[in-house]
Every structure is written in structure tokens, then in C-alpha cells.
Amino acid sequence: MKHIFKLLVLLPLFAAVACDDLLEPAIENNRDIDAMENDPSYALGVLGNAYILLPYNTSPTSDVATDDAVSNDNSNTWRAMATGAWTSQNDPTSQWKSCFNAIQYINLFLEHLDNVTFALDENIQTMFIDHYRGEALGLRAIFMYYLLRAHGGISPDGVLLGVPIKLASEGIGSDFSQPRNTYAECMEQLLQDCDDAIELLALDYKVHTADEIPSKYASMGVTVSHYDRVNGVFMAGRLSGRIMEAVRAQATLMAASPAFSDGSGITWEEAANSAGKLLSRIDGPAGLDADGFTWYTNTSEIAGLGSGEVPPEILWRTSYSDSNTLEGDNFPPSLYGNGRVNPTQNLVDAFPMANGYPIDNSNSGYDASNPYENRDPRLATYIITNGSTAGSATITTGSYGTNNDAINRESGHSTRTGYYLRKHLRFDCNLDPNYNTLQRHYTARIRYTEIFLDYAEAANEAWGPKGQGSFGFSAYDVIKALRSRAGVGTDNGDPYLEECANSQDRMRELIRNERRLELCFENIRFYDLRRWNANLTEAAQGVNITRAANGTLTYTPIQVEERSYQSYMVYGPIPYNDVLNFGFVQNQGWQ
């Protein structure tokens, strides 16, 4: 029975790779995997399957399982998970199948790569082989990162485990019951793949100069035209050395965090160094893109992007497309949307005042009867509040509203919290069926802002608020630049930041809050809370806004949705069927 199950697991993968059953002789025009050695396009198609499986997503799916948002969709799997339905058999977070499928493609590609002819010129062939090996190793590192984030955890006997390390392709005779490697072993392999990819890949794909040709190629007599034949602008959008430096920063930050640090072998200093090296390439905080926090709606910038080109804020993105799917899901009902993602009062309260003080600080000047005035400008940039404008419409979320934008209307498309999403959305889309206007969108896979926040967190832990390591900038410098860009504390010198700069603990709290604000609705907070060993069970709050006859508004807090997580859920599960069929050790607490 177990062998049959193995075969069923492999068949969809093989069918996708070669459109035939690799376990039987090829017939007619069907091709087996060895055919890639005579067809470079076919070989790159195998690698391309790994790109297709990359798990990046603009839609803020996991945020509705945190204290930042809820969904008004009763069938939302993340909503069900957050309210008690998360099991090893029902796991929306799982990356197990898709990531291991991608690693299978990658390993198949690597095993045949040296026999694929990409160019007749020996030097150019060497560079192509190096380049594609670098891409494959880089992709394998990314999928390991996502596997560790979703499935790394503590075994019942207290060992921090990762996943099985797979460095060779699998067939019907493979042993699918290989035990999980330790988390530290997985990180070691991940970082080795990262470092090898960085060594093999060009930093960027562009028109290079002679002094940018790596010495190993220059010594072979490679010219600029030869180098750009392999690493020129046409490669833009594929993995590069710069992107892999960012992946290294993400992975080391995760591994150095409280949930993983005891068994990962990674220190905060290594995480800070990984992020700092990349940020030094853009001159640290001085290189922060002034408009980077609104990348998704910088319309002229988006319209001018060439194929694979990225704006200053973006390290890596998907291809762009003309659509209004995000808007259809999340516009308020009066704009023909379904209002699916509803920001919480918890998140709204996390935005400070424009003077930089948290709203519960006595120096903030916060007015509970006028709660959206003089706030951090990012609040209005990312969230639709009661009475604010969306496109040309004024959105009333208070219960006194006269249409389905009002809280908890029976339409099923109304807000449950008193707020609608604004981030990611383009309000030059018109969902009116008479117009149905589309606009250009892309998914920001990795943003510089995330790497700046990675550095700030790790540098504060390694060296304190103002420690600079070897980079010439500190956690304090990064947070000051981010808040200044947002318009926070610019009129008063940001005294709250200066207070926090005197304490590692207070700076940690501020950095985590800045991360929450800057990266909200980017599928990051769910994983941040867990790697921090932070509270997962804070109930999602909202606000019911009523209006008296004289026009006075009253803001009444409401509890919208409880969070039902157990302490062991800091770590995700191994899929139940894989535990049952292959004997994998399950993470502590999961069945």
C-alpha cells in the first residue's frame, strides 16, 4: 500500500514535467526527462516549473488569521483556522507538497544541467551553466525557507527539527521515509545554496561594464558582449545575486528569532550582517525610496516599468498584468466590491499620532472623540476609515450609514470591524459593470523596506539601538528614516523615537510596531508573531460608530472575532498523511 501511495505522489509531478509517465517507455511523441539534454528550451521549462510554484502572494490571505484583520467571507479557510479549525489535516499554511514538488523539478534540472548545450562557444557555455546552476540553487534555498517557516518545529523529545533535505531527484525506488533533518542542518544547507547562488549569479541584469565582469570570467577572455549574452537585461525578473542576498537576510532573521534561535545555529549578528551587506549597496537608510511605502499605487512609475524592471523600492516582483481582482475582492460594496479583508481596531490603534507618540501616551494629544485626526499618515494610506474618501466616494462605515458600506449589513459584503482595506488597491479601477476598468498590478515579492526592518530588528538585538556593526548605520537610523518617510515626528524631532533609542527593550517594541505598520497586509505578521513567540490569541476588535441627532459621533469598541490558538501552534504541523504513511516525527502538540 505504501509503494502505491509513493507512486500516486510522484505521478502528477512527472506528468507536469514531461507530459508522460516516466515510469514507462516513451511512446510516439512523448518525451522523457532525459530529453532535456538535447533541448535547452525543454530543460529551462523544467526549471520554469519551480518558478511557477513560488509561493508569493499579494492578496493578504494570512493577515485575517492575526490581530490585524478579519474576513467577511464565511468560507475563508484562514478565518476558520484562526477560530479553531487548524489541524494537521486542515492546514492553509502548508507548503509541504508544493515546495517539495518544486525541489524535485530543481534537482532533476541540476542532475542534467551539465549535459545541456546552451551555446557552442565554450566560455559562453560555461557562463550559462554557472548562471542556471545559480538560479536552481537559489530557488532551492527559497523553497527550503518556506518549508522551514511553515513546518519547522519542536519534536516531542524537545529537538528543533526542520524537514528532510532532498539534494537528489526521487523516483519509484526512492526512500520516502527519510527522517526530518534538524533545523540547524536545514539552515546550513539553505545558506550553502544561497551563498553558492550569490557566487554564481550576476548581482543585477543590465548592460555591464568591463570592470563588472567577475575575475574568473575576465581571466578566460570573456568580453562585455559575451557576459551580457548570459547576464544582460533580457534576464531581468529571474533570480539574481541581489535577490539571493535578500533571501539570505530573510532566512537568517527567521532562524535567529526567539522561536528558532536555540536550535538554528544562527545569531542575531549573522542576521544583521546578512541584511546590512545588501543595504550597504544602496547606501543604507539614505537609499530608502521616498515613495516606497505606496509602491502599489505609484501609477506613473508602474506604467513606465519595462519587462523585468523594478522601481527603487522593489528588489523582486512578479510580471505585471492588467486586472481588478484585488479591487473586486476588497473595495467597499458601494464601489461594487466584496469588502473581504477588514482591518481591525487593534491595527488602527497601533498607528501612532503624527507627532510620533503612541495614542495611549500622555504626550500624544489623541482625541478619542475624533480618533482619525492628526494620526500617522500611513493610517489613511493603508486603511479606509469612517468618512474617508475612496476614489471619488465617501465611505460611511458607521452603523448610521445608509448603504451596505455600513458595518454588519446583511449583504455579506459589509465590514465587520468598521474598516475597509486600502493598501494594494488602485482606485482608478472602476468595478461598475458599465465600465469594468482594469489597471496594472504586480506582486512585490521582496521590498527593500522589509530588508531595512530585518536589519533594524537584528541590529538592535545584536548591538543595541545605536550599534552599527561594520555598516555605518544602526537600528535607530533605519527606524528614523522609515518614520520620517511616512511623515511621523517630522515637525518635532520625533522625541518618542529618541526615548526608545535609550533602551534595547523599548526599541525592540518600536521596531516590531513599525514592522507591523509598514508590512501590514503583506502576509508577514502571522509568521512574525510566531517567530517572536508573541501572543497569537489577542481577539480581533472593531468599532461601532453611531450618530446622534445633533451629528455627534460615538465610537464604541466591539469584539469581532476571538482567536483560538494553542501555545504549540507557534510551530506549524507536518501534514497528517505524511506522518501516517512515511513515519515523519510530528511537531509537539499536533496530532
Side-chain angles (χ1 to χ4, degrees), residues 258-276:
F260 302 108
S261 59
D262 285 348
S264 71
I266 304 299
T267 65
W268 283 118
E269 185 170 19
E270 182 168 359
N273 286 335
S274 293

Side-chain angles (χ1 to χ4, degrees), residues 269 273 455 463 466-473:
E269 185 170 19
N273 286 335
Y455 177 81
W463 309 311
K466 292 194 174 182
Q468 299 182 346
S470 60
F471 301 107
F473 54 92

Side-chain angles (χ1 to χ4, degrees), residues 461-481:
E461 300 297 339
W463 309 311
K466 292 194 174 182
Q468 299 182 346
S470 60
F471 301 107
F473 54 92
S474 64
Y476 163 85
D477 295 324
V478 167
I479 298 304
K480 186 174 183 66

Side-chain angles (χ1 to χ4, degrees), residues 37-55:
E37 296 184 4
N38 298 313
D39 186 344
S41 296
Y42 178 37
L44 293 179
V46 174
L47 185 63
N49 281 311
Y51 273 102
I52 291 169
L53 289 168
L54 283 167

